[in-house]
Every structure is written in structure tokens, then in C-alpha cells.
Amino acid sequence: MPTGQAMHSSFIINEIMNHFEFFDLPVSFFPDETDLKLRFLKNSKRFHPDFHTLESEDKQSEILELSTLNNAAYLTLNDFDKRLQYILEIKGLLTDAKQELPQEFLLEMMEINEAIMELEFDFDEGKYNEAVQKVEQMELELLLEAKPIMESYDDVSDKGTGLEPVKDFFLKRKYLWRIKENLDKFAPASKEVR
């Protein structure tokens, strides 16, 4: 039955093939961006619905799905943060369960959060800049610590067990993003009220 074949094809595309496999690339935190773009453009032409208007409805549906997957895969793999999260997800390191951050890190963040609360009630541009610099410095230090692990990662020999430090980097960085968002939200408003 043709509809069943299209559904089966859809299942294979979405459930088995990850974005790296789709582009026939090894799992990498730092893929060759030029090569990735070339593969995306080649697939864009290959799976463009306009080139398949004379095909059966099932084939047209499959091509449309492949075109959609091509776009989604490229948007994910072309962005470092999305790619980082995606790799951790396909390796089973990010689950729906609450992710725990080290107590030491949370204590350090408490100090920054207190500084942010003070800024909210009494904006001081110098203290604001100091808080922003501290968060950016922490983010840089986290990246420098995790980058060698990400650069040397080999998906063939490592099935994800060596990625715990990268997971910690991701979770801490995500926490720092929330702090940056908090700084961006109220600090400029407080500044205008002055």
C-alpha cells in the first residue's frame, strides 16, 4: 500500500536518521562549515518540491519531508549552541529529568544573583558592567575547559561516556544565559528610571 510505504519512509527518516547521518557527516561539535553548507545546498536542489511535481503524491510527500528535514538539520548543525544541545540529546545525556548543577557552581551564582537583585532596586552602571563582565568571563572559562574535549571527540570510539564535562558545560552555560537575560531585562529599564 503506497500510503504505508510513505509512512514507513517517514518513520525511517525521523526516527532512525539523525542530522549528521542525513548529511553523511560524522558527529562533531566543530564540523567543517563550508562542507556542511555545500551538502545542504546540494540537498536543497535534490529535494526541492518543484523538481518533483510529476511524481506520485506519496513521492511528493516524501520529497517535502526530506526538504523540511534538510532545512531543520542545517539550522541545527549550523548553529554551535543548537548543535551542542543536539549532540548531547542524541547521546542520551539530556533527559527530561531535572539536570543537577554542582553545588559549588550554584553558590557562585548566588553571589551574582544577589548583585542582580541589588541592581534591580538601585541601578549602578559600574556594578552592572561588573556583573556582565563576570558572567562573560565565567562563560569563557567554561568554554576553554570544554573545548578540548569537544575538539577531540570521536564518535566511533566514544559512545557518549566521555561527554559528561561537555554536558556540565552546556548546563552551566544555559544557567549563565538566564542570568544574562535577567541583566538585560531590568538593568536598562532601571537605568532609564533614574
Side-chain angles (χ1 to χ4, degrees):
M1 190 162 124
T3 307
Q5 288 176 342
M7 287 175 64
H8 179 69
S9 170
S10 174
F11 173 78
I12 290 173
I13 290 168
N14 289 327
E15 299 299 324
I16 296 175
M17 182 181 294
N18 72 43
H19 295 339
F20 290 98
E21 290 169 343
F22 181 76
F23 286 121
D24 195 26
L25 291 169
V27 175
S28 172
F29 290 97
F30 302 104
D32 180 324
E33 292 179 12
T34 303
D35 185 34
L36 175 64
K37 186 170 186 173
L38 288 173
R39 289 169 192 255
F40 164 71
L41 293 173
K42 182 179 174 185
N43 282 346
S44 293
K45 184 175 180 179
R46 181 175 165 207
F47 300 129
H48 197 287
D50 289 350
F51 296 130
H52 300 275
T53 56
L54 300 178
E55 301 282 352
S56 69
E57 283 186 37
D58 288 341
K59 184 65 175 176
Q60 287 182 37
S61 292
E62 181 181 339
I63 292 298
L64 184 59
E65 186 175 332
L66 288 166
S67 177
T68 301
L69 177 60
N70 186 51
N71 290 328
Y74 182 72
L75 288 173
T76 298
L77 299 186
N78 192 47
D79 179 276
F80 174 74
D81 297 312
K82 291 178 184 175
R83 183 173 58 242
L84 172 63
Q85 181 173 350
Y86 182 72
I87 292 171
L88 293 173
E89 285 172 353
I90 63 173
K91 294 301 172 185
L93 293 169
L94 295 180
T95 61
D96 291 336
K98 186 177 177 184
Q99 305 291 333
E100 295 292 325
L101 288 166
Q103 193 65 27
E104 179 183 308
F105 177 77
L106 292 174
L107 287 173
E108 195 171 352
M109 292 301 97
M110 188 183 301
E111 183 182 315
I112 292 174
N113 282 319
E114 287 173 2
I116 291 171
M117 285 175 58
E118 288 178 24
L119 287 171
E120 189 172 5
F121 295 109
D122 184 23
F123 184 83
D124 178 292
E125 191 170 351
K127 288 181 181 179
Y128 169 77
N129 290 333
E130 187 179 310
V132 169
Q133 286 177 346
K134 183 162 184 159
V135 170
E136 288 175 352
Q137 180 63 32
M138 290 180 77
E139 194 173 9
L140 179 61
E141 289 170 6
L142 290 172
L143 177 62
L144 292 175
E145 190 177 308
K147 192 173 181 181
I149 298 166
M150 292 187 286
E151 287 176 332
S152 65
Y153 179 70
D154 177 16
D155 190 49
V156 175
S157 63
D158 185 342
K159 299 301 178 196
T161 55
L163 293 179
E164 282 297 325
V166 177
K167 174 185 160 186
D168 288 345
F169 161 69
F170 172 77
L171 295 174
K172 289 175 182 176
R173 191 165 183 223
K174 195 172 174 181
Y175 191 96
L176 290 174
W177 288 340
R178 287 193 296 266
I179 288 178
K180 284 170 122 177
E181 286 175 1
N182 285 340
L183 281 167
D184 290 343
K185 280 181 194 173
F186 70 80
S190 298
K191 194 174 180 180
E192 290 171 14
V193 171
R194 275 192 327 155

